[in-house]
Amino acid sequence: MFLKVFYITLIYCLFIFLPTAGIAKTATISNAKIILLLNYGNGASIASLIVNGQKVISSADGIFTSVKIDGISYSSLHLKGIPVLTKTGNIIKLTGIRYGDKNLTIEENWIFIITGKSIKWTLERSCSKPVNVEEAALPFFNFDNINIWEGAYQGYGGLAWFYLFNEKLCTYGVHTTSSDFWNSKNGNGLNITVSAPGKNVAMKYSRTNENKLAYTVSISDKELLPKLDSGTNRRRFVRGRTDVWAPYTIPAGISTQSITLSYFDFKQKYGRGDFKGVDGAKVNAVLNTIARIGVIDSLHFGGNSWHTPYGPICLHEQYIAQLGLAINDSKYLKGDQTCLDYYRDHAIKPDGRVYPRWAYTNEDAMPGQYNKYGFYEAQWGILMDSNPDLVTNIAELYDMTGDKNWVRSHQLSCEKALNWILKRDSNGNGLVEMMNDNHTEKKSSDWIDIIWASYENAFVNAKLYHALVKWAIIERQLNNAAKANYYTAFAAKLKASFNKPTKDGGFWDEEKGCYDYWRDKDQTMHGRNMVTPVNFMAIAYGICDNAARRKIILDNIEAQMEKEHLFFWPLCMSGYEPDEGLGYQFPFPRYENGDLFLSWGSVGVAAYASYNPALAIKYVKNVLEQYSKDGLAFQRYGRIKQDGLGDDILSGNSLAIVGLYQAVYGINPLYNRFYLDPHITPDLAGTVLNYNFRGKHLTINLDSSSYSVSDNIFKITANTSFGFNTTKNQLSYFNGNSPNASLQATSAGHLTISIKNWDADKIEWQQNASKPITYVLHQLKANAVYEFTVNGNLVKSIQSNLKGKLVINHNPILVDEMITVKRKD
């Protein structure tokens, strides 16, 4: 009996512990949020992945490694031998993973290091000889369903949005080292970060024939080149196939790379706060999806999506950096910096002309007018707005990052781009002229590319004014006063001419009550049909500072909107003359002759926000409602049916929401401060926003009579606009839109300041503090005596210096105190 039991036990032990052919064994690799089930035997794979209790992978081929050579796949699912598993503390190793054929052996060791926050998977791979592969997966993830995740944020701020994988075998490839998979409904997030020193990392996402989500990580010595199209090799998104990358060579020898998996709470990482008066879930959704869709790859940021058949990027869009203001992701800002570096180096001609477009193919290019990097002149004409728009994007991105060294690296190229277009003012009136003189040439000159705007173009000149104003500020910061003065003076002349009546050489049409679109060289006026971007930009950019004109424009637009019951502003309120655009757009309304393009939402909202913010909010809400119906996944909306049209999906469809952030909530990151200038309506009162600002997490409270900004140590409250900045132990307050700090307070403890009054003679604030504070007040009257009182009691009199600066050291007696600094008569 004893021998029988002994032999049964021995056989059982052999069955469990010996790597017998055909018998798969398992090991669980887990921490509190992630559970991996490792299968090994005749194959090696991860058969199950659970993220925060949700099973996202559940198949034998869940996660594995592979190579594909001459149409044949070799993978860790079918091994030449049995691998060996060892475990030491929090480290699990699976060694001896060998696969290939008689002429090639790939051997891998998988090493898993478990910590409380992540699981790091190191893959050591050796290849017996150099081999040309069609694909190599290190590794391949086979998620159970295309809808497990809503999308994956890329390490540079872009998005693989699976909503757009609307058919089987849609595949999208990018160059990045990290991916944030997320699901807003259950809040689960999975970050996968790849480290491969000295190597290039690419990722691709595919919808399989089984409606699963296939995610592949590839490592290569050289950056992977897209397979399509032959001769251009720039296409990142393909349909009906999965081979987005061209074949490449894996060298012989050993390589090592690691994949780190970690959980994140989507709402905590990407949540934006508590919204009042608008649907916060929809605001989040728009900014988390459609706003990012124009980022095609790590070096290619634009407004047209990677899903578009020919994948264009318009460099003549001034709002690509502005999108980052509301997206509010440091990865997007950093990615856009890298992209603009690339544009500086490859999209500017020697004479300063900025190519206006890039695309997967050359089909939209003017014959012969493209370079090897994919940048080109468009077939429709010389689109002049690319020159000022490149400058605007650089200037606005600098405001968001405050990175002076980076903007300095663009100084010469921006000056070059501006110089090219400023030379186009042949008559010295401050209005630059287009390359085409008359609309009868049937050529365009700007973003509205099949309307024949020519000669003096208000659309382009408005954009130029915006760029000049912004860049002049930067030139002054970079200590080039001469250039700053030149750009400022040119902008002033442009503005003056722009505002003149049409009979005097300007754009103001007294009969139509709007700014006309363009003037032909023969002095005839065109685009007299209330072209909304022209008029919105004139107001939003500060060209039109005439209150009566502003009222006429905005009231007339709203009256027509009400009459037609349109949910959003069209490109023009009435039709062009039949010879002013490409023929198929007639009769009105069709395409650029009257359809609804949401890409002008930010300037539209900005134009109304300071005039009648309720109207701005009306159209914001309309856009949010439309998103809930169709994801805004179109180029435009038809005017008659207000239905989505065009497969050229635009990230600009989110710009009304960007306008909500910038013009209504008043969020304006600037190079040296966070500037808050709200124009909220009563129903928005009580809104609390979370905002990331240069590594700090700010909380913004917006109430009817007061606004505040806090970084959890320092806080400022005021009932007018102000700037906020903090460094270690120091809070800076900027009164109104002043670029210079008005008050600096240094304290080792928490400090809250509520501004009650700020003028030349009396400054007053309520404060909450418990530790000593040193105040430095600026911009006071020089050599003047000021009385410093606390809770109405005079503490001392102090004299300001020659620069109008006053220093006060104060040790609070009470936690709450009223501080007054008053000039002595």
Side-chain angles (χ1 to χ4, degrees), residues 323-463:
L323 287 165
L325 180 148
I327 290 172
N328 194 218
D329 182 350
S330 61
K331 295 191 293 294
Y332 182 96
L333 302 184
K334 184 65 177 177
D336 198 19
Q337 280 186 315
T338 305
C339 165
L340 288 169
D341 290 345
Y342 184 77
Y343 290 177
R344 175 198 60 206
D345 299 338
H346 300 300
I348 304 178
K349 297 181 183 182
D351 65 354
R353 169 62 180 152
V354 178
Y355 280 112
R357 291 184 180 176
W358 176 96
Y360 292 154
T361 68
N362 297 329
E363 65 191 83
D364 182 47
M366 192 178 290
Q369 294 297 310
Y370 51 84
N371 65 19
K372 64 181 180 180
Y373 303 104
F375 298 100
Y376 65 90
E377 295 284 3
Q379 61 180 311
W380 308 110
I382 303 300
L383 311 181
M384 303 277 283
D385 41 349
S386 56
N387 276 62
D389 287 355
L390 179 67
V391 175
T392 294
N393 277 301
I394 290 166
E396 294 199 338
L397 188 58
Y398 167 59
D399 267 339
M400 282 177 261
T401 65
D403 188 341
K404 187 176 283 189
N405 289 331
W406 176 78
V407 82
R408 184 179 284 112
S409 75
H410 287 265
Q411 185 176 14
L412 293 179
S413 58
C414 284
E415 290 173 354
K416 190 175 178 180
L418 288 174
N419 187 53
W420 183 89
I421 194 168
L422 294 180
K423 286 181 178 179
R424 297 292 306 170
D425 178 22
S426 65
N427 58 14
N429 68 348
L431 299 174
V432 298
E433 297 123 16
M434 305 301 101
M435 304 297 283
N436 50 326
D437 289 339
N438 295 287
H439 74 282
T440 54
E441 297 174 32
K442 299 186 184 301
K443 293 292 183 181
S444 61
S445 55
D446 62 51
W447 188 92
I448 308 176
D449 57 4
I450 53 174
I451 297 296
W452 311 137
S454 66
Y455 198 57
E456 289 180 343
N457 177 334
F459 184 100
V460 172
N461 276 281
K463 285 183 163 189

Side-chain angles (χ1 to χ4, degrees), residues 468-715:
L468 288 170
V469 169
K470 286 186 167 293
W471 193 254
I473 294 170
I474 292 172
E475 286 286 357
R476 204 167 298 283
Q477 291 176 45
L478 298 179
N479 301 314
N480 193 337
K483 282 287 188 185
N485 293 337
Y486 170 60
Y487 296 140
T488 300
F490 199 107
K493 182 185 286 188
L494 188 162
K495 178 178 178 177
S497 292
F498 193 108
N499 278 308
K500 290 179 180 178
T502 54
K503 62 183 176 61
D504 297 327
F507 293 119
W508 179 250
D509 190 324
E510 294 177 324
E511 178 188 354
K512 297 292 186 179
C514 67
Y515 291 97
D516 288 348
Y517 188 175
W518 80 90
R519 166 183 287 100
D520 274 356
K521 194 171 185 179
D522 64 8
Q523 299 304 303
T524 57
M525 299 306 299
H526 299 272
R528 303 180 67 202
N529 49 328
M530 186 69 85
V531 179
T532 52
V534 168
N535 286 274
F536 284 157
M537 285 192 290
I539 296 169
Y541 295 162
I543 299 171
C544 175
D545 50 15
N546 182 308
R549 287 183 180 179
R550 180 179 67 167
K551 177 177 173 57
I552 291 169
I553 292 167
L554 297 180
D555 286 355
N556 286 346
I557 289 175
E558 179 58 17
Q560 187 68 23
M561 295 294 289
E562 281 289 307
K563 181 179 178 180
E564 295 188 49
H565 305 291
L566 300 178
F567 87 91
F568 196 78
W569 302 294
L571 273 186
C572 53
M573 299 311 297
S574 58
Y576 289 95
E577 294 299 320
D579 64 345
E580 290 181 337
L582 191 63
Y584 88 87
Q585 302 174 103
F586 299 86
F588 171 87
R590 188 174 183 188
Y591 198 55
E592 292 174 354
N593 185 25
D595 277 352
L596 284 57
F597 283 78
L598 276 60
S599 290
W600 297 97
S602 62
V603 289
V605 169
Y608 277 102
S610 58
Y611 174 68
N612 185 345
L615 289 176
I617 291 299
K618 170 184 172 179
Y619 293 103
V620 166
K621 290 180 178 180
N622 287 350
V623 170
L624 294 174
E625 181 60 28
Q626 193 65 39
Y627 178 87
S628 68
K629 297 174 182 177
D630 59 23
L632 303 178
F634 297 97
Q635 180 199 47
R636 67 193 191 282
Y637 289 82
R639 183 154 181 165
I640 296 173
K641 297 181 180 179
Q642 301 193 61
D643 52 337
L645 299 172
D647 55 10
D648 194 359
I649 301 169
L650 305 182
S651 63
N653 291 344
S654 68
L655 279 163
I657 315 308
V658 176
L660 169 69
Y661 260 66
Q662 186 171 35
V664 178
Y665 294 149
I667 292 173
N668 288 271
L670 296 176
Y671 65 95
N672 66 342
R673 64 201 184 278
F674 178 88
Y675 176 53
L676 187 66
D677 182 24
H679 296 87
I680 66 168
T681 55
D683 60 326
L684 302 184
T687 294
V688 180
L689 301 175
N690 304 322
Y691 199 81
N692 300 311
F693 181 66
R694 297 175 197 163
K696 297 184 176 72
H697 300 291
L698 303 184
T699 301
I700 301 153
N701 292 78
L702 301 173
D703 287 311
S704 296
S705 58
S706 69
Y707 323 116
S708 69
V709 180
S710 169
D711 68 357
N712 295 322
I713 296 174
F714 295 112
K715 181 177 181 179

Side-chain angles (χ1 to χ4, degrees), residues 222-397:
K222 295 181 179 179
E223 183 178 278
L224 290 191
L225 187 70
K227 187 174 184 178
L228 299 178
D229 295 304
S230 178
T232 55
N233 302 97
R234 297 190 289 265
R235 187 176 297 276
R236 268 65 168 183
F237 182 74
V238 296
R239 295 170 175 82
R241 56 198 299 170
T242 62
D243 55 342
V244 70
W245 302 120
Y248 61 100
T249 299
I250 297 178
I254 299 173
S255 65
T256 302
Q257 47 273 329
S258 63
I259 292 92
T260 301
L261 289 79
S262 58
Y263 166 81
F264 64 89
D265 183 310
F266 175 76
K267 293 179 176 63
Q268 184 177 39
K269 187 171 184 178
Y270 292 102
R272 300 173 184 276
D274 183 13
F275 293 83
K276 304 297 183 184
V278 295
D279 191 322
K282 292 175 184 175
V283 171
N284 275 308
V286 170
L287 296 177
N288 287 334
T289 57
I290 196 70
R292 297 178 184 251
I293 203 66
V295 184
I296 291 177
D297 202 350
S298 58
L299 299 177
H300 297 88
F301 281 49
N304 301 66
S305 77
W306 43 261
H307 187 267
T308 303
Y310 73 104
I313 288 172
C314 292
L315 279 72
H316 55 120
E317 290 178 331
Q318 76 276 34
Y319 43 69
I320 305 306
Q322 184 190 18
L323 287 165
L325 180 148
I327 290 172
N328 194 218
D329 182 350
S330 61
K331 295 191 293 294
Y332 182 96
L333 302 184
K334 184 65 177 177
D336 198 19
Q337 280 186 315
T338 305
C339 165
L340 288 169
D341 290 345
Y342 184 77
Y343 290 177
R344 175 198 60 206
D345 299 338
H346 300 300
I348 304 178
K349 297 181 183 182
D351 65 354
R353 169 62 180 152
V354 178
Y355 280 112
R357 291 184 180 176
W358 176 96
Y360 292 154
T361 68
N362 297 329
E363 65 191 83
D364 182 47
M366 192 178 290
Q369 294 297 310
Y370 51 84
N371 65 19
K372 64 181 180 180
Y373 303 104
F375 298 100
Y376 65 90
E377 295 284 3
Q379 61 180 311
W380 308 110
I382 303 300
L383 311 181
M384 303 277 283
D385 41 349
S386 56
N387 276 62
D389 287 355
L390 179 67
V391 175
T392 294
N393 277 301
I394 290 166
E396 294 199 338
L397 188 58

